[in-house]
Amino acid sequence: MTTVKPAGFGGYGKQAGPVELKGGLRDKEFHSYCPPDVQPSTRIIAVCGVNDFGDAASPTEDGWFLSDFYLFHHLFRGAVINQIWLTCLSPDDLVEKYREYAHGNRLGERRIVLDRVMLPEVLSTGNIRVVSPDILCERFLATVHSECQIAAELRQPVLLLIFGHGEENTHGVFLRCRKDGVIAEGSLLRIDSIKRAIGRRVEVSALLTSCYSRGWVVRPDLNSTVMAAAGPKLTSESWSKSESSSRALGSIYASAVLQSLVKLEMDANNNERDVDRSSPTFAELTRVVYQTLIGDVDRLGEYHKIGFSAKDDLWEVEWRTRSGIPLTTYKERWETLRCILPDTADPATNRYPDSLAPSTAFQMSQGLHGGSTLRGLHRIVGAQAREYLHSYPGSDSSGANTIHTKFRDLLKGRRFDIPWLERLSDILIYRMSLMRLATDYKDFLGPEFPDCAMYDVDTWRYRYYDEQRQQNEGGKIANEKVERFSEITSLIVREPRIFGTALMGEQGLSYINPREYLAIALVESEMPLAQVEAGLDKCQALAQARITKLSTRMKKDRT
């Protein structure tokens, strides 16, 4: 009888305690298969937090969240009766403005999930709810509350699908902003708000593709089943942008989930096991998703740090019952979507694990990072953007880096108004100041290492997360570096944070590239971990002193 250890695949238990104990799940084994279960009809509530201020809904920017949204809308169409899909953007307006949205690896199988041909089918479902961005978060919470009350009475499970940018400190998801696109106070979908909306009498599962979403997994007081796309201190990632159209084609995580569901569907069709052990458990689902991600979808899959939790730590419940994901013909539904030809990008950048390995790590990252009066302001901000993009600012496919498109548009001659230019300037100043701060910390701690603006973090990550898959001495060395990188990153993000926090609505999304640079510099220094920790303690003291000095100066300025 086969068993599985979910902690090895991103699983986290509901017990409080040290992180290394995985919420009490470490070393625990669960059966991979169980008797089939008659699943009651799931109630699905989905929300996409993307708005179109400044063309943010474009497939070249945040549109990859919409690609995920409409992929799952297509997959679940007709699978269950009760479905509500909330967005602040009507699908017909999206098609009129942006023509189409696609999903998949640019060098592999890509399919259209929304276009003019599909529009009648999408609208005919009658379950797309378009609401004002001002009230999207409140409407979602109210819908979750009312649907959970009904589900409790009817003993039905609820599946939440949440697509949008994450917030690092709270692990919340941005769902509401004003019509002018400025992030307002109270704009986050917070974990505590979801807990109140759900109540206690209903089985709720949640699938999130947002940055930092594993923060939902590790909350022991959130007793729900969660499937999360990225570690609590990591950004989620879209597929690399198409070289021919500059479109980002949905998230890597959504592709992994889809391929896992297809595998489970095919496994059920070919099932020759005893009927009493014929259906996969939720523990087995975590293994399938994890192994599919790293084995079939993304050669750098380990980096994502995906996560899972199971309500009441019941990992041996049948996978559909525990996850709330309905049974349907996933392979057939995916293949009914119109296929588009692979991109013209360099094959060496292909993230598929079975693709030909690149000769150098740099090749894999090619194309994934950047290379007064109104007119005067354009020149000033353009110079800032050029300096930023000519450094190594991180992969465009990172969930926090969709703003890169705006910077490039500016350099190509696109005209922005003064408020937009001021906003772009604030973001650029924030990001470049963090790069300089990371270099200052590196110099203070002593490693001989290139400055942050001159070092490609992606190349290092791609190299060692790829090499650790190898069963040889090189793989062993890479695995040791990756583990040390994770340990040092955990030290860097302790409170008080030496890189501070982005000011909501002014400095854009949290920028993690500088702290990853510092972690890599310390990894390569081979400095003992205790010495690293002591040095970072001093950095914390310096950061706190700097904040105190700034606060004192601000108080004097007011008086």
Side-chain angles (χ1 to χ4, degrees):
M1 185 177 297
T2 58
T3 59
V4 62
K5 295 180 178 180
F9 307 117
Y12 205 91
K14 291 300 177 185
Q15 298 178 21
V19 172
E20 59 269 20
L21 296 181
K22 306 289 185 180
L25 203 63
R26 190 178 68 179
D27 298 328
K28 287 190 176 180
E29 296 186 24
F30 300 90
H31 291 131
S32 299
Y33 292 89
C34 64
D37 192 12
V38 179
Q39 182 193 21
S41 182
T42 301
R43 306 184 82 88
I44 295 176
I45 312 162
V47 65
C48 184
V50 173
N51 65 65
D52 198 31
F53 173 72
D55 298 332
S58 167
T60 65
E61 297 196 26
D62 291 344
W64 60 279
F65 288 111
L66 289 160
S67 291
D68 284 351
F69 183 82
Y70 283 104
L71 169 67
F72 282 102
H73 184 263
H74 173 76
L75 294 175
F76 293 158
R77 180 173 58 86
V80 293
I81 296 173
N82 299 293
Q83 301 189 38
I84 299 174
W85 296 72
L86 292 163
T87 173
C88 58
L89 304 169
S90 68
D92 41 357
D93 287 346
L94 291 173
V95 169
E96 179 68 27
K97 186 173 182 179
Y98 299 115
R99 195 166 67 85
E100 64 185 22
Y101 290 79
H103 208 290
N105 185 340
R106 65 180 180 175
L107 289 168
E109 187 177 18
R110 303 182 296 168
R111 294 182 182 271
I112 300 298
V113 295
L114 180 66
D115 65 0
R116 190 168 298 283
V117 174
M118 293 186 64
L119 194 55
E121 177 186 291
V122 170
L123 296 175
S124 69
T125 62
N127 54 32
I128 300 285
R129 304 282 191 273
V130 181
V131 301
S132 168
D134 295 39
I135 62 170
L136 181 60
C137 187
E138 291 89 340
R139 179 67 63 85
F140 178 66
L141 288 170
T143 303
V144 170
H145 180 68
S146 61
E147 288 293 302
C148 284
Q149 286 185 318
I150 297 171
E153 294 296 326
L154 300 178
R155 297 184 180 277
Q156 294 175 325
V158 173
L159 173 61
L160 307 179
L161 302 169
I162 303 173
F163 308 101
H165 281 296
E167 197 278 326
E168 184 178 10
N169 294 324
T170 64
H171 309 121
V173 181
F174 290 109
L175 291 188
R176 179 173 69 84
C177 59
R178 300 201 303 266
K179 289 180 180 178
D180 61 2
V182 176
I183 298 169
E185 188 67 29
S187 65
L188 282 178
L189 174 66
R190 298 176 182 269
I191 296 175
D192 289 340
S193 298
I194 277 287
K195 283 173 54 183
R196 289 192 294 270
I198 289 171
R200 298 182 178 180
R201 299 187 300 132
V202 65
E203 297 282 340
V204 173
S205 305
L207 187 152
L208 302 95
T209 64
S210 53
C211 302
Y212 322 115
S213 49
R214 192 172 171 177
W216 293 54
V217 168
V218 300
R219 280 280 295 263
D221 58 327
L222 179 65
N223 190 18
S224 296
T225 299
V226 178
M227 300 173 64
K233 300 300 177 185
L234 293 173
T235 57
S236 56
E237 193 170 3
S238 73
W239 285 111
S240 297
K241 289 183 178 180
S242 167
E243 200 163 271
S244 57
S245 64
S246 298
R247 294 183 302 183
L249 309 177
S251 70
I252 294 173
Y253 183 68
S255 292
V257 171
L258 168 60
Q259 290 194 32
S260 301
L261 296 176
V262 170
K263 284 184 178 182
L264 292 173
E265 177 191 347
M266 302 304 292
D267 178 71
N269 293 339
N270 301 322
N271 185 11
E272 296 181 355
R273 289 180 294 273
D274 181 89
V275 67
D276 289 335
R277 292 290 172 187
S278 61
S279 190
T281 61
F282 183 70
E284 174 67 4
L285 173 66
T286 68
R287 185 195 69 80
V288 173
V289 174
Y290 180 88
Q291 296 288 8
T292 298
L293 174 64
I294 66 173
D296 300 325
V297 175
D298 185 11
R299 64 193 309 124
L300 308 176
E302 290 274 7
Y303 174 74
H304 300 284
K305 303 298 181 188
I306 64 173
F308 306 89
S309 63
K311 180 177 171 61
D312 297 323
D313 275 341
L314 298 178
W315 295 83
E316 292 183 337
V317 174
E318 202 263 0
W319 73 273
R320 287 168 297 160
T321 302
R322 182 80 299 168
S323 69
I325 296 174
L327 180 65
T328 188
T329 53
Y330 292 103
K331 185 174 187 294
E332 177 183 332
R333 288 176 181 242
W334 169 248
E335 292 177 348
T336 61
L337 296 170
R338 177 166 64 89
C339 192
I340 54 179
L341 293 174
D343 195 51
T344 57
D346 184 350
T349 65
N350 196 350
R351 297 275 289 263
Y352 275 162
D354 60 354
S355 64
L356 188 64
S359 57
T360 68
F362 173 75
Q363 284 183 294
M364 187 180 290
S365 65
Q366 274 189 328
L368 304 182
H369 62 74
S372 118
T373 62
L374 182 60
R375 179 180 297 178
L377 195 54
H378 265 98
R379 285 199 298 268
I380 292 169
V381 183
Q384 293 172 339
R386 188 173 291 107
E387 178 185 353
Y388 172 79
L389 291 174
H390 284 180
S391 68
Y392 289 97
S395 168
D396 289 356
S397 56
S398 168
N401 285 348
T402 54
I403 194 67
H404 286 185
T405 300
K406 287 284 191 297
F407 300 153
R408 290 199 178 87
D409 285 348
L410 178 66
L411 296 180
K412 290 176 183 176
R414 177 177 170 182
R415 309 307 291 176
F416 291 90
D417 59 23
I418 289 177
W420 249 116
L421 288 170
E422 290 174 342
R423 186 179 184 196
L424 293 176
S425 181
D426 286 343
I427 294 171
L428 286 163
I429 290 170
Y430 160 68
R431 291 186 169 217
M432 289 190 290
S433 67
L434 286 191
M435 287 185 188
R436 289 191 289 270
L437 182 60
T439 297
D440 289 344
Y441 284 139
K442 180 265 298 183
D443 292 341
F444 174 75
L445 293 170
E448 293 291 331
F449 205 71
D451 290 352
C452 183
M454 302 299 293
Y455 189 78
D456 190 351
V457 168
D458 292 327
T459 293
W460 189 94
R461 282 198 292 107
Y462 292 171
R463 174 185 175 183
Y464 290 113
Y465 277 90
D466 186 31
E467 288 183 2
Q468 72 166 350
R469 302 163 60 245
Q470 302 171 9
Q471 302 297 317
N472 54 27
E473 185 63 23
K476 180 181 177 182
I477 293 172
N479 193 58
E480 290 173 353
K481 284 183 179 289
V482 166
E483 287 185 3
R484 181 169 159 86
F485 173 77
S486 180
E487 290 172 340
I488 293 175
T489 299
S490 296
L491 294 174
I492 290 173
V493 299
R494 295 174 303 168
E495 297 289 350
R497 299 188 180 188
I498 62 175
F499 287 104
T501 304
L503 296 176
M504 187 180 299
E506 296 179 27
Q507 297 175 327
L509 300 169
S510 292
Y511 187 47
I512 71 171
N513 208 61
R515 76 180 185 215
E516 291 197 334
Y517 155 82
L518 182 60
I520 291 169
L522 292 169
V523 167
E524 295 299 333
S525 73
E526 299 184 356
M527 190 184 298
L529 194 61
Q531 185 179 345
V532 169
E533 184 171 6
L536 290 173
D537 286 343
K538 293 178 182 178
C539 290
Q540 284 183 321
L542 288 172
Q544 198 62 38
R546 187 173 64 249
I547 292 170
T548 302
K549 183 177 180 180
L550 180 60
S551 299
T552 302
R553 185 187 306 164
M554 290 174 67
K555 288 178 182 177
K556 288 182 178 178
D557 290 343
R558 291 193 190 102
T559 58

